[in-house]
Amino acid sequence: MTIRFPRALWQNRELCWRLAEREVLGRYRGSLLGLAWSFLTPLAMLAVYTFVFSQVFKARWGTLENQGPLGFAVNLFAGLIVFNLFAECANRAPTLVLANPSYVKKIVFPLEILAGVSVGSAGFHALTSLVVLAIFELIAFRGLPYTFIWLPLVWVPLILGCLAFTWVIAALGVFLRDIGQLVGVIVSMLMFLSPVFFPVSALPLQWQPILTLNPLAQVIEQTRMVVIAGEHPQASYLIAGTLIAGLACELSFRLFQKTKRAFADVM
């Protein structure tokens, strides 16, 4: 089977980049602080979550209990970055095509790159949050682990998974308008069914295998391993995760390509 989606994105990389840049800048255009909001927003949410879970509920993070609220905040933030990247793509996916009717009517416009634009925009905000995380780690642990360099490979399955999910939901969203409500509920549930506010090891043993079936759980745990714990990622995750996500991406891309012929008629 010939893999098609990398070629489609690569051929339109310049257009994809320009649209992603326009989307990022357009979100903050006219605001007083501009791009600074991309740093301030995650910081504000981090402060609220850290206060509620570490001070109100007195939650501690296992091996980092001696670090107190700051150690909890670093682990929480690492999980939030991964989840927010997925959530931003998922929440936009149902209306991704519907919000751009002018593109649908242009026969020459490659609609498939809209997923790449969405993931690229979400990726920008994830990168700004990573800068904040690095600063927090320097304050809390007085250094960054060298295993931080593994993060791009750890995130390959995440990026491919977000692309696959976006293509499927964007296509379904054209024909099933209720899909947006369903995705919103699923994303809210996944926030608490993913190890964002707790490590997988905090769960009873009988529940741990079930939670690890959640793909986000794997990415979050591997991210914490390389950016906080200073451990190398699991080779099985890198290989199997990338292959499975790549296959899902290709199948989703082909589904989108087949269904997009009917977009104009439905809209």
Side-chain angles (χ1 to χ4, degrees):
M1 181 177 68
T2 304
I3 301 177
R4 300 178 183 175
F5 77 90
R7 181 180 179 184
L9 293 177
W10 179 255
Q11 287 179 336
N12 298 285
R13 61 189 182 280
E14 184 67 24
L15 178 59
C16 190
W17 173 267
R18 294 302 178 188
L19 289 176
E21 181 182 33
R22 187 183 70 174
E23 184 171 315
V24 170
L25 296 177
R27 180 178 300 191
Y28 305 106
R29 185 176 292 116
S31 63
L32 183 63
L33 298 179
L35 284 175
W37 282 112
S38 63
F39 291 93
L40 294 176
T41 300
L43 272 176
M45 296 306 298
L46 172 63
V48 171
Y49 282 130
T50 302
F51 173 76
V52 171
F53 284 92
S54 68
Q55 300 301 309
V56 178
F57 295 120
K58 302 297 181 182
R60 290 295 181 267
W61 205 282
T63 57
L64 294 177
E65 187 166 352
N66 60 329
Q67 296 289 344
L70 201 54
F72 183 89
V74 169
N75 277 276
L76 172 61
F77 199 30
L80 277 176
I81 293 173
V82 173
F83 179 80
N84 286 341
L85 195 161
F86 167 78
E88 184 173 341
C89 296
N91 287 326
R92 288 199 56 212
T95 58
L96 193 60
V97 175
L98 293 173
N100 296 281
S102 59
Y103 292 159
V104 176
K105 298 175 183 178
K106 294 178 180 178
I107 300 176
V108 296
F109 186 86
L111 289 174
E112 59 275 8
I113 71 167
L114 291 177
V117 172
S118 178
V119 174
S121 174
F124 168 80
H125 294 103
L127 289 177
T128 59
S129 295
L130 278 176
V131 174
V132 175
L133 174 64
I135 295 173
F136 262 78
E137 281 199 63
L138 288 172
I139 296 173
F141 311 133
R142 304 187 185 281
L144 295 174
Y146 76 93
T147 52
F148 215 113
I149 61 176
W150 282 101
L151 188 60
L153 288 179
V154 170
W155 275 16
V156 168
L158 173 64
I159 299 301
L160 292 177
C162 287
L163 271 172
F165 188 86
T166 301
W167 271 320
V168 171
I169 300 302
L172 292 177
V174 176
F175 305 100
L176 303 172
R177 305 302 170 92
D178 290 341
I179 199 75
Q181 305 299 324
L182 179 61
V183 168
V185 173
I186 292 175
V187 169
S188 297
M189 293 172 60
L190 278 177
M191 186 171 194
F192 296 98
L193 294 176
S194 302
V196 175
F197 305 107
F198 55 87
V200 173
S201 58
L203 291 174
L205 292 176
Q206 65 267 27
W207 292 108
Q208 290 183 21
I210 297 176
L211 184 67
T212 53
L213 293 176
N214 176 1
L216 284 178
Q218 297 288 340
V219 181
I220 291 172
E221 289 290 290
Q222 295 294 318
T223 298
R224 287 184 177 130
M225 285 175 60
V226 300
V227 304
I228 299 175
E231 300 176 7
H232 292 278
Q234 296 176 352
S236 58
Y237 163 80
L238 294 179
I239 297 172
T242 301
L243 290 176
I244 293 173
L247 177 60
C249 218
E250 179 63 22
L251 295 176
S252 301
F253 174 76
R254 291 177 180 236
L255 172 67
F256 186 89
Q257 291 293 81
K258 288 184 178 181
T259 56
K260 76 174 185 178
R261 302 166 187 167
F263 288 171
D265 296 333
V266 176
M267 296 176 63

